[in-house]
Amino acid sequence: IRSVRQGAGRVKIPDILAVPEMVSILGKLESKLIRTAVSAAGMTALRSSEIRGLKWSDIDFEQLWMNLCRGRVRKYETRMKGENSRKGIPLPPELSIILQEWRAESLLAKEEDWVFASERLKGSAPVSFDTVLKKHIQPAAKKAEITKKVGWHTFRRSFASILAAKGEQVKVVQE
C-alpha cells in the first residue's frame, strides 16, 4: 500500500512556459491550423476540449467575444466543465486577427464548421489534439530546445502564471 499515491497533492510542480518559449514553439510549427490552436491555448487559458469544441458561430469578431457552448473530448461532445466556462470569455484582439486569418485560409469556414476541423474527416469532427500534441507540438518544443514537459495544459497554466506575474487577479480553478 505504500507504493499507492494517496491524497490530492501534486507529486511534481508542473512546468510553466515563458512567453519567449511559447513564441519559439510557435515558430517551429509548420501547420497554420496547429499554430492557431496553440495561439488560442496560450492566449486564452482555455482547456484543450474547449478549444476543440469551438465552432465559427461561437466567435463574435465584432464584439471580441467567445461563447463557450461545448467541449470536445476524443469523438464525444461534452458539456462545459464549470459554470464559469459556460459564460464565455473575451477574445483578445491579437487572437481575433490570428483566427480571422485562419478562417480565410481554411476550407471549412462556414458558421457551423469546427474552428479546428479535420480535413481528413471532411470537417465532421475537429482534429485530434492528442495526435497534434504528439506529432507536432512536442517535436516543435524539442526543436526549440525546450526541455520542459509540454502538453495542452501547459499553455493554460503558463497563461495564468504570466497574468499573475503582471499582478493580475488570477482565480485558481480546481481541475
Side-chain angles (χ1 to χ4, degrees):
I1 192 82
R2 285 187 183 150
S3 63
V4 176
R5 182 176 163 217
Q6 297 179 15
R10 288 191 169 134
V11 173
K12 181 182 173 234
I13 294 173
D15 287 325
I16 303 295
L17 296 172
V19 173
E21 291 172 315
M22 284 194 266
V23 169
S24 185
I25 291 171
L26 285 168
K28 303 293 182 194
L29 294 169
E30 295 176 19
S31 164
K32 178 91 171 199
L33 179 149
I34 297 168
R35 277 195 314 275
T36 304
V38 170
S39 295
M43 296 170 91
T44 64
L46 290 174
R47 294 174 178 90
S48 62
S49 62
E50 295 166 344
I51 296 168
R52 269 190 92 222
L54 285 172
K55 292 190 176 189
W56 289 113
S57 59
D58 300 329
I59 302 172
D60 185 337
F61 290 106
E62 288 181 24
Q63 298 297 317
L64 293 177
W65 191 259
M66 295 172 78
N67 294 303
L68 304 176
C69 304
R70 75 199 66 72
R72 187 74 187 209
V73 178
R74 293 184 182 79
K75 63 181 180 177
Y76 302 102
E77 196 167 303
T78 63
R79 292 176 0 123
M80 302 310 295
K81 195 160 186 176
E83 185 180 333
N84 284 337
S85 296
R86 290 187 286 272
K87 291 179 182 176
I89 63 165
L91 175 63
E94 300 85 359
L95 181 57
S96 174
I97 293 166
I98 292 167
L99 286 167
Q100 288 179 71
E101 288 172 356
W102 166 237
R103 189 174 193 179
E105 278 187 37
S106 177
L107 299 175
L108 300 158
K110 292 186 221 126
E111 286 291 299
E112 67 273 9
D113 288 333
W114 301 103
V115 173
F116 301 106
S118 169
E119 288 182 20
R120 185 178 61 81
L121 298 175
K122 297 180 175 74
S124 64
V127 295
S128 166
F129 274 18
D130 292 339
T131 302
V132 165
L133 179 66
K134 289 177 189 155
K135 291 190 174 183
H136 301 278
I137 297 171
Q138 289 174 340
K142 190 173 181 176
K143 282 182 196 171
E145 299 180 2
I146 295 169
T147 57
K148 297 174 181 175
K149 184 177 179 188
V150 176
W152 283 105
H153 209 76
T154 308
F155 300 109
R156 180 175 165 85
R157 281 191 305 270
S158 299
F159 179 85
S161 296
I162 291 164
L163 286 179
K166 290 183 173 187
E168 299 286 335
Q169 192 89 12
V170 179
K171 182 179 177 185
V172 177
V173 178
Q174 292 297 326
E175 295 298 322

